[in-house]
Amino acid sequence: MSSVDLLVERFRAQFGGRPDLISRAPGRVDLIGAHVDYNDGVVLPAAITRYSWVAARARPDSVVNVLSLDWNEQGSFDLTNLEKKVDQNGRPLPEWALYAAGVAWALTQQEISLPGCDLAVTGDVPVGAGMSSSASVEVAYALAWLAMASTTIPPMQLAQVCQHAENAYVGVNSGLMDQFSSVFGKEDHALLLDCRSLDWEALPLGSNVALVVADTGTRRTLTTAHYNTRREECELAVRSLQTVMPGITALRDVSAEAFAAHAEVIPIPARQRAQHVIEEIARVEQAADALRQGDTARLGHLMDESHISSRDLYEASGPALDTMWEVSKGHPARLGGRFLGAGWAGCLIFFVDAAGAEDFAAATAGRYKKATGQEAKVYLIRAAQGAQILESDH
Ligand code: GLA
């Protein structure tokens, strides 16, 4: 049974009758641009053929009932009481339900009037693995709610509303990359986003290369704390540099030359974090050029450099990620690779010659098993279309 059929069946069993609509929003892989989106940098992600789905039906009152197939739990909250983050009985909302409530809260902040509803949610984006399950579920909820409210907002605003839900309601101080990717995804394309101007461009990936995800099976814990700490370290680096470069507002404004001249004003470890960000932004620009020129070897090499810098300077990798990255080396089809998303655990993305991609996936899983004794899922993935309403009675 497909995920959508199962979702409709469980919706029917829980709430009776059919949903009014089904929305679908993809996860993403970030080819390069680690931890630069919240430094006003440029990033190069792609939406992928892994999704969150939401089945929704409006209610005549302000109650929201949510059934999560993946957590096997249900919850209820009221749209008139979103600030408190509690359920109908006054108990704190479980984390999985904060995404629905947070999106409702952020849309309401845009003066959009929302109906209560019955919702069922499921997904095949692995949670805590670096592929943006959070953003995909936020975007799927937001699209469903906008459709139920019979309104639309510009797509960039949709991405920003979902980011605001994540930052201000769920409490992760993330950048815009993930929600942007889920909204703007384009089949077989990567997306180059300037996180300052919000200008973006879709770049074809080319048919001679393939994307391979390597899932170490490890999952992030305590990521919110780690992630928010890194963000604070970047802000400290900016404040330190402002003492000698008063015009800057973000690490985006600091050239390699200026960093070399003034780095010592930044305390350790914020100095290493800043060095990573400044060099990584330059790498993303070079990666976009490489993609435009069809120089896949160069792009792969830049991804490897990104992994090394994220590991050594940003200290955002982890043992399983580093082992997978090491064992992947040496295969003739491998162009390059790095860990996905925030890091610490989860998945890597490899850029691979299409002809040898299946062999690379099997060989890498085998080598990982040999090195660690652990099974890893290593599989091909395609760049996908952004979020959409799949079925609607409206
Ligand atoms: C997470 C965040 C993104 C981005 C990446 C790191 O995925 O949600 O905004 O900061 O980490 O590049």
Side-chain angles (χ1 to χ4, degrees):
M1 190 185 273
S2 77
S3 301
V4 173
D5 290 342
L6 182 65
L7 185 67
V8 171
E9 186 182 291
R10 294 289 303 275
F11 183 98
R12 192 192 293 276
Q14 181 76 20
F15 303 117
R18 279 189 64 83
D20 289 345
L21 60 92
I22 292 165
S23 62
R24 181 184 83 174
R28 64 99 193 87
V29 293
D30 41 333
L31 296 181
I32 192 164
H35 290 273
V36 301
D37 60 351
Y38 52 84
N39 289 297
D40 277 2
V42 280
V43 289
L44 190 63
I48 49 166
T49 46
R50 288 283 182 126
Y51 302 95
S52 293
W53 290 268
V54 167
R57 187 176 61 205
R59 295 171 53 96
D61 55 21
S62 57
V63 172
V64 179
N65 297 311
V66 199
L67 170 70
S68 165
L69 273 58
D70 306 317
W71 292 92
N72 203 15
E73 280 185 45
Q74 51 173 308
S76 294
F77 55 87
D78 199 297
L79 290 173
T80 58
N81 196 21
L82 290 167
E83 290 285 346
K84 292 211 170 90
K85 303 184 193 175
V86 292
D87 68 12
Q88 290 284 66
N89 300 313
R91 288 185 303 243
L93 283 173
E95 196 184 335
W96 67 266
L98 283 178
Y99 294 95
V103 166
W105 172 82
L107 285 168
T108 310
Q109 294 232 315
Q110 303 287 309
E111 314 278 312
I112 297 169
S113 152
L114 301 178
C117 51
D118 296 326
L119 301 171
V121 60
T122 190
D124 63 6
V125 188
V127 174
M131 285 156 86
S132 283
S133 61
S134 310
S136 72
V137 82
E138 288 156 9
V139 172
Y141 281 132
L143 265 193
W145 245 308
L146 289 168
M148 286 188 284
S150 302
T151 189
T152 55
I153 56 177
M156 195 61 83
Q157 190 185 347
L158 171 61
Q160 288 170 315
V161 164
C162 292
Q163 183 200 9
H164 188 53
E166 175 123 11
N167 291 173
Y169 202 87
V170 179
V172 181
N173 223 350
S174 55
L176 186 61
M177 172 171 69
D178 304 349
Q179 292 83 3
F180 163 81
S181 311
S182 189
V183 173
F184 285 86
K186 185 167 176 192
E187 254 173 56
D188 298 325
H189 284 67
L191 308 168
L192 179 67
L193 171 68
D194 182 325
C195 299
R196 172 169 273 172
S197 67
L198 303 185
D199 289 341
W200 66 278
E201 186 187 348
L203 299 174
L205 284 166
S207 55
N208 55 339
V209 287
L211 301 176
V212 176
V213 167
D215 187 344
T216 63
T218 58
R219 294 295 179 258
R220 295 184 314 235
T221 50
L222 297 177
T223 311
T224 307
H226 278 125
Y227 185 91
N228 289 349
T229 303
R230 288 293 177 280
R231 191 159 179 165
E232 283 158 19
E233 287 165 345
C234 291
E235 286 161 7
L236 172 62
V238 171
R239 285 198 303 279
S240 308
L241 285 169
Q242 279 169 336
T243 60
V244 286
M245 299 176 69
I248 66 163
T249 58
L251 290 174
R252 171 75 179 270
D253 299 318
V254 184
S255 66
E257 296 71 36
F259 182 76
H262 301 302
E264 74 286 354
V265 300
I266 313 171
I268 306 273
R271 193 188 302 169
Q272 285 102 306
R273 313 296 187 236
Q275 184 185 342
H276 162 78
V277 169
I278 291 162
E279 293 174 356
E280 182 80 351
I281 292 172
R283 271 192 290 272
V284 178
E285 308 272 16
Q286 292 166 32
D289 280 343
L291 201 51
R292 285 189 193 99
Q293 290 157 15
D295 189 347
T296 52
R298 172 106 188 101
L299 176 52
H301 179 70
L302 289 161
M303 291 168 75
D304 280 333
E305 286 191 344
S306 169
H307 184 87
I308 293 167
S309 173
S310 306
R311 180 190 69 193
D312 298 346
L313 294 174
Y314 218 72
E315 296 184 87
S317 192
L321 297 174
D322 289 335
T323 301
M324 183 68 85
W325 186 76
E326 288 294 343
V327 300
S328 73
K329 286 186 192 164
H331 191 282
R334 182 190 188 279
L335 296 164
R338 54 177 296 276
F339 71 69
L340 283 174
W344 288 288
C347 298
L348 298 93
I349 180 75
F350 292 101
F351 200 53
V352 180
D353 281 329
E358 294 283 0
D359 189 67
F360 169 80
T364 303
R367 287 190 195 174
Y368 188 77
K369 169 95 196 218
K370 204 167 163 202
T372 64
Q374 305 291 318
E375 299 287 346
K377 289 191 188 129
V378 186
Y379 52 90
L380 274 71
I381 207 149
R382 295 280 298 270
Q385 188 67 28
Q388 50 188 306
I389 299 287
L390 290 186
E391 292 172 23
S392 172
D393 292 347
H394 286 280

